[in-house]
Amino acid sequence: MEIKPPLPVRVWGLDFNYATIFMSLVVSFILIIIFYLATRRLKMVPGRLQALVEIIVEFFDNILTQTFGKERGRRYLPVIGTLFLFIWLSNIIGILPIPHFRILGLPIPKFISPTSDYNTELALVILVLFLVHGSEMRIKRLWGYLKGYAQPYFLAPLMIPINLFGRLGQLISIHFRLFGNIFGGAVILIIALWGARSLAITSKFWYCLLGGPIQAFLLVIPILINGFFGLFIGTVQAFVFAILAMSYTAVAIVEE
Amino acid sequence: MEALDPFYVKMAAYSGAALCMGLGAVGAALGEGYTAGHAAMGMNRQPAESGNILRNMLIGQAIAETSGIFALLVAIFLVLISFTAALPKVFGLLAAGLSTGFAGLGTGVGAGIVSADAASGIARQPEASSRVTLTMVIGQAVSQSTTVYALLVSLILIFAI
């Protein structure tokens, strides 16, 4: 048994992970379509879809306005909300058991979470880097931003490397945590499926030992693992990513 | 470099996997159990807020579980991948297990303490529950950064040396 990464496609001498890119596009299109349909005809008394979308938006609106204040919170709401929605849907789309197939010659990959590929996290953390440091530079200006690394000033030569590593550590922890959780879930699921298959192959032994119904129940375990990692851990980690991006920004733009 | 008996590499990988998962499980279990205990006490004090406390407990436990998941990931890699037989690899594999294992031991307990106190905090002052949950998530995530670094070191030790 071995764990294979998705096969890359070679274009112009560069490797592209076809499955990851395809699934990211699928996630983006699903989000765009849901939010387009929900906000097409806004009503005072919301319909079912509009109510669902309003719950998510209001939840983040509350958190952001509490953290940043009314005006600034509204400015950061789109980016933080989109980060959450994209990562959330990316995490839970992997639980759909859809195999590899073709439509009109276009290969549709096996459904995987785009977030179980490290490249997606790398893209996300570059976005967070621009969000945090960009908004700090915009509010404190370049000189104020650079001065921030030397604080407190009386220890400046010591504090500059410490602050640099601190800021780098923030970025490493935010994206690697997400990758570790989602990739860990994917690996554990593969192991569980492998176990279930060997259970089905050596069924005579297990049948004598456990009896049919218990054996059938053991085959359900991969489904439970899938649900736990996809729905529960996936939701919590998407929330953690968005909230961490928000609090890094909030700490960075605090003015003395 | 003279060739090494693959037996030693396997031995190092297996003991590294066992230490990693064992220590990581101790940390995550202590933290999660502590959280559940405090949540139960909080429900005793404020039965009306049971739903709120339960939700907070589940979120906190899911984050405290991270160290256990990382330990399991490293343990699975150590057991399933076949490594080249060389002397540095032996120490590298053992060290990879110890790194994530000890980090998981600490951060599992640490994250558990945070969510346990958040549960009692909500029981004492239910109207602050959304602020408490938010602070808990941020605090747990930051306190767990060290496990993430340890996982990074473990993966480098496994794949890059």
Side-chain angles (χ1 to χ4, degrees):
Chain A
M1 202 203 87
E2 55 184 330
I3 300 154
K4 278 191 211 142
L7 280 182
V9 181
R10 196 162 259 272
V11 185
W12 301 310
L14 294 170
D15 285 338
F16 290 90
N17 276 342
Y18 179 72
T20 308
I21 294 171
F22 185 88
M23 292 314 298
S24 315
L25 288 176
V26 167
V27 168
S28 311
F29 277 122
I30 291 174
L31 284 177
I32 289 169
I33 288 168
I34 287 178
F35 274 71
Y36 174 72
L37 289 180
T39 56
R40 196 175 35 170
R41 278 190 291 272
L42 289 174
K43 286 189 228 94
M44 270 319 279
V45 183
R48 231 176 273 166
L49 192 60
Q50 192 189 335
L52 180 78
V53 168
E54 271 183 11
I55 290 172
I56 300 171
V57 173
E58 252 181 36
F59 180 70
F60 275 93
D61 188 45
N62 279 338
I63 292 175
L64 282 158
T65 45
Q66 275 175 10
T67 310
F68 287 103
K70 188 97 184 162
E71 185 195 343
R72 216 172 249 173
R74 284 281 158 81
R75 199 196 297 153
Y76 283 109
L77 178 62
V79 62
I80 302 291
T82 311
L83 268 179
F84 170 76
L85 285 168
F86 179 76
I87 297 169
W88 185 42
L89 201 59
S90 297
N91 292 346
I92 61 180
I93 205 167
I95 69 173
L96 297 176
I98 296 176
H100 175 91
F101 65 102
R102 272 171 190 279
I103 297 178
L104 306 172
L106 177 74
I108 309 292
K110 186 162 99 50
F111 269 35
I112 55 160
S113 298
T115 36
S116 63
D117 182 351
Y118 182 67
N119 297 299
T120 311
E121 268 85 9
L122 212 54
L124 288 170
V125 82
I126 289 169
L127 208 148
V128 172
L129 171 82
F130 279 108
L131 173 69
V132 174
H133 293 247
S135 36
E136 187 179 357
M137 253 183 248
R138 200 178 134 197
I139 285 171
K140 294 185 181 169
R141 301 289 161 212
L142 185 61
W143 181 237
Y145 168 75
L146 291 176
K147 268 200 301 191
Y149 282 98
Q151 273 167 348
Y153 294 122
F154 67 95
L155 277 175
L158 191 65
M159 290 314 288
I160 288 172
I162 291 178
N163 279 331
L164 271 175
F165 278 109
R167 302 298 287 274
L168 191 68
Q170 270 187 348
L171 295 174
I172 291 176
S173 80
I174 189 174
H175 77 294
F176 215 76
R177 171 200 326 280
L178 181 66
F179 172 68
N181 274 288
I182 304 304
F183 182 66
V187 170
I188 291 161
L189 179 67
I190 292 172
I191 306 284
L193 284 171
W194 175 61
R197 206 188 63 179
S198 55
L199 206 65
I201 290 170
T202 58
S203 57
K204 221 164 220 170
F205 171 72
W206 287 105
Y207 188 83
C208 295
L209 196 65
L210 300 171
I214 298 176
Q215 191 194 350
F217 176 72
L218 285 178
L219 295 180
V220 174
I221 288 175
I223 301 171
L224 296 179
I225 290 176
N226 207 354
F228 174 75
F229 277 100
L231 292 175
F232 188 50
I233 297 280
T235 308
V236 170
Q237 291 300 326
F239 181 64
V240 167
F241 192 99
I243 291 302
L244 276 183
M246 183 203 78
S247 53
Y248 289 167
T249 316
V251 170
I253 66 174
V254 161
E255 285 154 302
E256 300 88 71
Chain B
M1 201 184 299
E2 84 185 83
L4 195 72
D5 193 347
F7 171 76
Y8 293 110
V9 181
K10 275 282 167 219
M11 201 168 76
Y14 291 161
S15 29
L19 281 171
C20 178
M21 192 58 237
L23 291 170
V26 169
L30 279 177
E32 285 177 45
Y34 192 59
T35 306
H38 272 243
M41 277 202 300
M43 283 179 194
N44 232 345
R45 196 182 297 157
Q46 289 262 1
E49 287 296 315
S50 293
N52 232 337
I53 294 173
L54 182 71
R55 201 185 59 208
N56 184 77
M57 182 191 88
L58 286 177
I59 294 175
Q61 284 183 326
I63 302 177
E65 186 115 326
T66 304
S67 54
I69 295 173
F70 288 172
L72 185 56
L73 187 63
V74 171
I76 286 173
F77 279 144
L78 285 174
V79 172
L80 289 183
I81 295 174
S82 50
F83 297 100
T84 51
L87 193 58
K89 203 79 207 176
V90 173
F91 294 102
L93 295 179
L94 202 54
L98 285 177
S99 163
T100 305
F102 274 114
L105 179 61
T107 54
V109 176
I113 290 172
V114 175
S115 49
D117 285 346
S120 1
I122 289 177
R124 197 169 301 152
Q125 205 153 70
E127 60 269 25
S129 78
S130 66
R131 289 304 293 172
V132 170
T133 305
L134 189 65
T135 312
M136 180 196 79
V137 169
I138 297 172
Q140 279 188 312
V142 173
S143 78
Q144 270 187 341
S145 307
T146 46
T147 320
V148 180
Y149 306 148
L151 176 66
L152 198 59
V153 169
S154 289
L155 293 184
I156 291 171
L157 283 170
I158 292 173
F159 290 109
I161 63 165

